[in-house]
Amino acid sequence: MSEPLMPSYNPGASAEPSILAPVRPKQVRWAVLLIIAAAVFQIIAAVLGIVHTGSAEFRSQLTSQLAQQNIPDSGQDIVGISIGVALATIIVISALAVIVYVIIALFINKGAGWARITAAVLAAVSLFSLAGLTMPAAIFVVLQLLSGIAAVVLCFIKPGSQYFTDRKNFRLANKVH
């Protein structure tokens, strides 16, 4: 006959976390919403940029710029090619920006410190987007920039900053070796 297995006592192993998970403050929720708003402003600015790039006014400006640069006529539609490149650039950069915004928002929501730092760096770099703005997309670029900066500020002041510290400590305390 086999003996019944007896439960063993192991004080080192516990299914309970050693510290409680921190509660996400409203401030971080607002930061996430502001980052999502920045993504929406990016989409609106991209649509307006696409409309502007396809306009007769843009074609005329591009034609005069190319004429000023004394670019020889090679038999190709340089203006058409330039417009196509500009449209592709707007679409690709905008799609990547929206994807980055969503990823950062998701990880800020989870309390990932790297997302907060990445958002701060991207907010600083995005200040360069203020150069060469054209209306009406400029309004949405400024709104996008302000939303991103406000979100970053909310993540770096208390209680947001404390939430990121608490999340880091929670992850470290519950890390399985």
Side-chain angles (χ1 to χ4, degrees), residues 2 8 18 25-26 39 43 48 50 52 63 69 76 79 93-94 120 125 135 145 167 174:
S2 67
S8 65
S18 57
K26 288 180 186 176
I43 293 168
L48 293 173
I50 290 168
H52 176 70
T63 302
Q69 295 176 4
Q76 296 179 344
V79 172
I93 289 176
S94 295
V125 169
M135 291 304 261
L145 184 62
R167 285 296 300 178
N174 293 303

Side-chain angles (χ1 to χ4, degrees), residues 3-14:
E3 300 214 8
L5 294 174
M6 297 295 291
S8 65
Y9 174 72
N10 185 353
S14 172

Side-chain angles (χ1 to χ4, degrees), residues 10-72:
N10 185 353
S14 172
E16 296 294 319
S18 57
I19 60 173
L20 294 175
V23 177
R24 184 180 57 248
K26 288 180 186 176
Q27 187 172 334
V28 173
R29 285 187 222 130
W30 277 105
V32 170
L33 291 175
L34 284 168
I35 293 170
I36 298 300
V40 170
F41 291 138
Q42 172 68 42
I43 293 168
I44 294 169
V47 168
L48 293 173
I50 290 168
V51 168
H52 176 70
T53 303
S55 71
E57 176 189 353
F58 182 78
R59 183 176 275 280
S60 153
Q61 288 173 350
L62 191 58
T63 302
S64 67
Q65 287 176 356
L66 290 173
Q68 289 175 355
Q69 295 176 4
N70 296 326
I71 296 177

